[in-house]
Amino acid sequence: MKKLFCVILILALVIPFGTDKSTTFSESKPEKLRIGYVESEVFDNFSRQLSGIFAGFQKLGLVESDYKVDLKEADTSKIWSDICNNYYSDKIELVQGMYFNMKNMPESDYAAMVNRDDVDLIVVMGTVAGKYFLEHEKKNKFMVLACADPISAGIVKNETERFRDNSFAHIDRTRYERQIIASHQIFNFKKIGVVYQDTPEAFSYSAIDKLRKLSSSLGFDVIEKHVVEAQNDNDYERYYKDLKQSYKELANEGIDSLYITTATIENERLKDLLKSDIYAHNIFTIAQTSEQQVEYGALIGFVINDGMEQGYFAASQIKSYLEGTPFDQLEQVNDDTPKISLNYDVAKLINLKIPLSTLLIIDSIYVS
């Protein structure tokens, strides 16, 4: 009854849509560019981008190393330690002690991350960390990556202008519009559900403004539920209980699709969370963030933010800086190559019939 149409999918994915600088920073560069790492929380796209940055350093000749990053490793602290111990370079230094996960720190310790003397550039992953660095980092340069929309989040002004000369953010402004439009053209959903934490940061990285904006032009309703994400490792069971309750309420309100946005959901728990109220009602599940969400239980993903590709882009901008490009003139825009992934087991579970012609154009198909 429900069918996928490959032609409109391709078109939707490839057709794009349409405080002042207060400090000037010296462009004099040290003998080696010392680099640190900070992330907002644990998130699989952060680990892939960090691995992608190091792989980019290798490919671009910034480091000498035979070490191959493990793309299945999700622990960025381990990735950081491993890459710090497995390279030689006369151009950059990865500062092993400059690693922070903000979710695992009391707020009173945040100041230890900024205005340090042992680094020159900090790789910053995520919206929350990016906003903190914009407000507090006055001494060193920083690059914000894996941020859903750094413009709406207020981290940079636009594609070329920054609020501070020492800031940088990777931008793909149409990423989620293309994803939502492609999903709608395939499934023609009428009522899509979304669950997110009711904060400005989560509103931005969950692309809620994009959903609301497109709902009127495409003719669908958005049903929103709010939960407080897991605050620490001991808070996950409460979070999952609240999440399942939200899914139950959405199913009872008649949604036909669920947009699984960026959150602290552990991938391996996703299928269990969706089973009783989402799969049971044959509801389409659309992954916002990563292919791993599809691997672990979302029906389909239009991956327009590949971690390895973004990591290479970040590495190439660092190379440009080392070669003389002023930091505030580095290119911030990089539109990732779209990829399609499908969980075939979930498709069968919700009685979705998929034409062979469509299966042939999907980049990744996951089965048990």
Side-chain angles (χ1 to χ4, degrees):
M1 181 175 66
K2 305 170 184 173
K3 293 186 178 181
L4 299 173
F5 298 95
C6 59
V7 174
I8 55 176
L9 168 63
I10 296 173
L11 290 175
L13 287 171
V14 301
I15 299 176
F17 300 84
T19 351
D20 293 325
K21 291 181 181 179
S22 56
T23 311
T24 300
F25 289 80
S26 170
E27 288 299 331
S28 60
K29 299 177 182 62
E31 183 177 343
K32 280 188 178 182
L33 185 68
R34 301 168 298 173
I35 301 174
Y37 178 87
V38 173
E39 64 185 12
S40 301
E41 59 189 338
V42 173
F43 188 48
D44 56 27
N45 200 35
F46 298 168
S47 58
R48 285 185 67 84
Q49 287 205 43
L50 179 56
S51 296
I53 290 171
F54 187 74
F57 286 161
Q58 290 173 304
K59 188 171 183 179
L60 293 167
L62 295 182
V63 301
E64 296 177 20
S65 175
D66 293 327
Y67 178 74
K68 292 186 177 180
V69 292
D70 180 2
L71 298 182
K72 293 188 178 295
E73 178 58 64
D75 185 349
T76 53
S77 65
K78 184 177 188 307
I79 295 170
W80 186 250
S81 178
D82 287 347
I83 62 179
C84 285
N85 289 315
N86 286 283
Y87 80 98
Y88 167 79
S89 176
D90 58 0
K91 299 179 179 69
I92 64 172
E93 176 187 350
L94 304 177
V95 181
Q96 187 158 5
M98 179 53 192
Y99 170 94
F100 293 96
N101 179 310
M102 293 178 67
K103 196 69 173 282
N104 296 333
M105 300 167 58
E107 193 169 339
S108 57
D109 291 346
Y110 285 179
M113 304 184 300
V114 295
N115 305 311
R116 295 170 63 105
D117 294 325
D118 60 344
V119 291
D120 309 296
L121 171 68
I122 303 96
V123 170
V124 179
M125 295 285 186
T127 303
V128 172
K131 292 183 72 171
Y132 184 85
F133 267 74
L134 179 69
E135 294 169 5
H136 296 92
E137 180 58 77
K138 313 296 183 184
K139 180 177 180 180
N140 300 305
K141 296 173 174 61
F142 61 95
M143 302 180 74
V144 181
L145 307 174
C147 174
D149 190 345
I151 298 175
S152 71
I155 295 172
V156 291
K157 285 185 179 181
N158 52 46
E159 289 92 338
T160 58
E161 293 182 286
R162 284 78 154 155
F163 291 112
R164 293 186 176 275
D165 289 347
N166 66 328
S167 67
F168 170 100
H170 168 237
I171 297 169
D172 181 348
R173 293 195 69 176
T174 64
R175 161 191 309 166
Y176 297 118
E177 287 94 332
R178 284 180 284 156
Q179 183 183 73
I180 295 164
I181 288 170
S183 303
H184 185 262
Q185 290 182 324
I186 291 169
F187 299 126
N188 193 29
F189 52 79
K190 300 300 182 183
K191 186 180 288 189
I192 189 167
V194 60
V195 184
Y196 65 99
Q197 182 167 282
D198 192 14
T199 63
E201 293 82 8
F203 182 87
S204 175
Y205 61 64
S206 298
I208 304 304
D209 58 333
K210 310 297 189 300
L211 267 178
R212 290 179 180 177
K213 179 181 177 182
L214 289 169
S215 65
S216 57
S217 61
L218 296 179
F220 62 83
D221 294 326
V222 181
I223 310 300
E224 302 175 22
K225 300 293 180 182
H226 298 144
V227 297
V228 176
E229 293 189 26
Q231 302 302 296
N232 52 54
D233 289 343
N234 297 321
D235 195 32
Y236 270 99
E237 290 311 311
R238 187 276 313 161
Y239 171 50
Y240 291 145
K241 181 180 179 181
D242 293 347
L243 199 56
K244 290 187 75 170
Q245 178 61 31
S246 294
Y247 290 161
K248 183 176 182 178
E249 292 173 5
L250 287 170
N252 289 338
E253 291 183 43
I255 65 166
D256 51 12
S257 291
L258 177 70
Y259 194 38
I260 303 173
T261 63
T262 301
T264 52
I265 302 172
E266 298 163 301
N267 284 332
E268 59 270 20
R269 294 292 298 271
L270 187 57
K271 186 170 286 189
D272 179 63
L273 291 168
L274 296 171
K275 183 187 304 181
S276 58
D277 295 298
I278 302 301
Y279 297 156
H281 290 84
N282 293 340
I283 293 169
F284 302 120
T285 45
I286 302 161
Q288 178 198 24
T289 308
S290 71
E291 188 172 327
Q292 285 68 42
Q293 289 177 310
V294 178
E295 180 180 1
Y296 282 92
L299 169 65
I300 201 164
F302 309 95
V303 182
I304 312 176
N305 54 338
D306 181 82
M308 292 298 288
E309 186 174 339
Q310 289 180 9
Y312 180 83
F313 171 70
S316 68
Q317 295 311 303
I318 291 172
K319 183 173 186 287
S320 293
Y321 174 59
L322 288 169
E323 291 174 345
T325 302
F327 192 76
D328 65 346
Q329 294 179 27
L330 293 175
E331 177 62 57
Q332 296 187 119
V333 178
N334 180 59
D335 296 331
D336 288 338
T337 305
K339 299 175 183 176
I340 313 164
S341 55
L342 174 80
N343 191 310
Y344 192 70
D345 291 336
V346 173
K348 290 191 295 183
L349 194 61
I350 67 171
N351 301 311
L352 177 64
K353 307 301 181 183
I354 306 172
L356 177 62
S357 58
T358 298
L359 292 174
L360 292 174
I361 68 163
I362 292 175
D363 296 283
S364 302
I365 298 176
Y366 290 94
V367 294
S368 296

